[in-house]
Amino acid sequence: MLRSAPVAVLAIACAALLAGCAATVQPNDALTIRGALAHTARAPLPPQAVAVVELKEDAAGGGRVVAERRIALEGTEGPIAFSLTVEGARLAPGASYALRGGIVANGQPLWASAAVPVAQRSGTVEVGTLAMRPARAEGFVSTLACGDRTVTVGFTREGMLMTAGDETFTMRRGETASGARFEAVGDPATFVWVEGRAATVEVRGERYPQCTVVDPGPKPFRATGNEPGWRLDIAAGEIALNADFGATRLTAPAVAPEAIDGGRRYAAATREGPLTVTVLERRCSDTMTGMPHPNAVTVEFAGRKLEGCGGDPASLLAGAWTVQPFGGAAGDSPRVTLTFNADGRLSGQGPCNAFSAAYSLTGEGLAIARPAPTRRMCAPAVMQSEQAFFATLAGVRRFEIAPDGALLLHTDAGRSILARRS
């Protein structure tokens, strides 16, 4: 159950963090959006957690951010009041806008609200309280069927979020001889223990029926591009294009692709005319974020050509890699490995210990949780190298695939890890 913070605390937070919500004088043509964010976490948020509220062009389609507000939470447990102001001149005529809020920690999204359309261009809009749900990295959410109950788990940079019924728990990795066990923060009687495709779940000591991992089925194919922003989705029954920040929307029944040299082509018929999508098996990097994708994609319609990237970036990471000598000259370092699994788990061998960690991909990059190693002791120099290796992994913020196929993991501090396919 959500616990509300005292009114006085919220008032102080509003005054200090929002620069005087009611007292600030805004230009006559400015738009001010007010409301609050609420989550249902049953454990304290990380101390570094920050609430983020942003207004975007066509937020559901990944348009540009026109205004953003960040609020340091500092232990706040109840609804988080916010006020976001944007100058009217920044709102383009005819464009669609939406507001969305969330909570992030160390650059990793933990909670997110649904997008709320905003049609007003000036004055004040009251959006009320936006309910947030756990933010998941696409492709790393697992559904567990436990008899007639359903449990979902998703990895974050800090560990795991587990949702059972209408409750969400922040989980941390626990000790186990096999599989992966995660316990709720402050409540070891709430845990999930996954071994292969089977899992055991307890919530406050109540054992659920034996759980199995549900096969999610094939994922839709998605491609995106910039300038102007666009998104294409190819699912089982439909091809949908959202372009020009929502001003252009085309849909067509899904069609079988035609094989072409180096890829495939879809020729679909929309009510507005032909739509042709070419997907090449060629690595492509997003022009804004640098995120690598497995496919280069071209979309053609009404005499226009849009170019961008498509496919799941996780497919480029998946599998086993051997890290190039870390912390010593070639031949001096033990064989260090990384294996990225499809369930959002990273495992491998460090300079001394085997380890595991959670990883997730967002629209902007890659995040890896602090690795959990075994407890073997090695020579001091090797242990020092291992500590540096684990610290670098935990600092990774993005990845790239070099022209020769090598994997490069980059941190914001300028450090990198180089690995090649095992």
Side-chain angles (χ1 to χ4, degrees), residues 28-345:
N28 291 334
D29 63 346
L31 171 66
T32 298
I33 306 170
R34 293 176 178 168
L37 303 175
H39 62 83
T40 56
R42 296 187 61 85
L45 293 168
Q48 66 272 34
V50 175
V52 180
V53 182
E54 60 184 20
L55 183 69
K56 300 180 71 174
E57 284 186 350
D58 182 33
R64 68 183 180 92
V65 176
V66 296
E68 179 185 85
R69 188 89 192 192
R70 290 179 172 262
I71 306 169
L73 298 184
E74 300 178 346
T76 300
E77 296 181 0
I80 306 158
F82 67 82
S83 178
L84 180 69
T85 298
V86 56
E87 296 178 3
R90 300 194 63 190
L91 304 176
S96 60
Y97 295 92
L99 180 84
R100 190 171 187 177
I103 295 176
V104 300
N106 291 327
Q108 177 69 17
L110 301 180
W111 296 82
S113 74
V116 177
V118 176
Q120 200 165 314
R121 291 294 191 268
S122 62
T124 300
V125 175
E126 300 285 350
V127 296
T129 300
L130 306 183
M132 296 182 292
R133 294 190 61 82
R136 312 291 198 190
E138 184 178 352
F140 300 137
V141 179
S142 295
T143 300
L144 307 178
C146 311
D148 60 354
R149 300 181 178 184
T150 298
V151 175
T152 60
V153 295
F155 293 106
T156 70
R157 184 174 180 82
E158 302 296 326
M160 174 189 283
L161 291 177
M162 180 180 78
T163 299
D166 60 355
E167 297 179 287
T168 298
F169 302 88
T170 300
M171 317 288 280
R172 296 291 182 266
R173 191 175 182 88
E175 293 290 336
T176 181
S178 62
R181 178 187 171 102
F182 291 81
E183 298 177 354
V185 175
D187 180 13
T190 296
F191 68 85
V192 57
W193 188 354
V194 181
E195 295 185 275
R197 298 192 65 79
T200 300
V201 173
E202 281 193 12
V203 177
R204 290 187 295 278
E206 178 190 354
R207 177 69 61 91
Y208 280 28
Q210 184 65 32
C211 306
T212 57
V213 179
V214 177
D215 185 357
K219 290 176 58 178
F221 177 84
R222 172 168 293 179
T224 59
N226 307 299
E227 298 179 0
W230 61 270
R231 186 183 77 191
L232 177 87
D233 291 284
I234 302 178
E238 183 181 66
I239 297 178
L241 173 67
N242 184 326
D244 304 317
F245 305 112
T248 300
R249 297 177 186 270
L250 303 178
T251 60
V255 294
E258 168 196 0
I260 61 173
D261 186 23
R264 61 191 186 274
R265 178 171 292 134
Y266 299 82
T270 74
R271 289 185 298 178
E272 291 78 9
L275 172 67
T276 302
V277 180
T278 303
V279 180
L280 299 179
E281 299 295 330
R282 185 178 69 210
R283 285 193 297 272
C284 174
S285 295
D286 184 89
T287 56
M288 291 186 65
T289 67
M291 174 70 80
H293 293 73
N295 303 112
V297 180
T298 301
V299 179
E300 298 174 87
F301 67 98
R304 299 176 61 185
K305 178 184 288 189
L306 305 176
E307 296 184 340
C309 302
D312 188 356
S315 66
L316 298 175
L317 285 173
W321 303 83
T322 297
V323 177
Q324 299 306 290
F326 191 94
D332 293 341
S333 297
R335 184 171 181 266
V336 178
T337 65
L338 301 169
T339 299
F340 290 89
N341 301 296
D343 62 356
R345 299 300 301 167

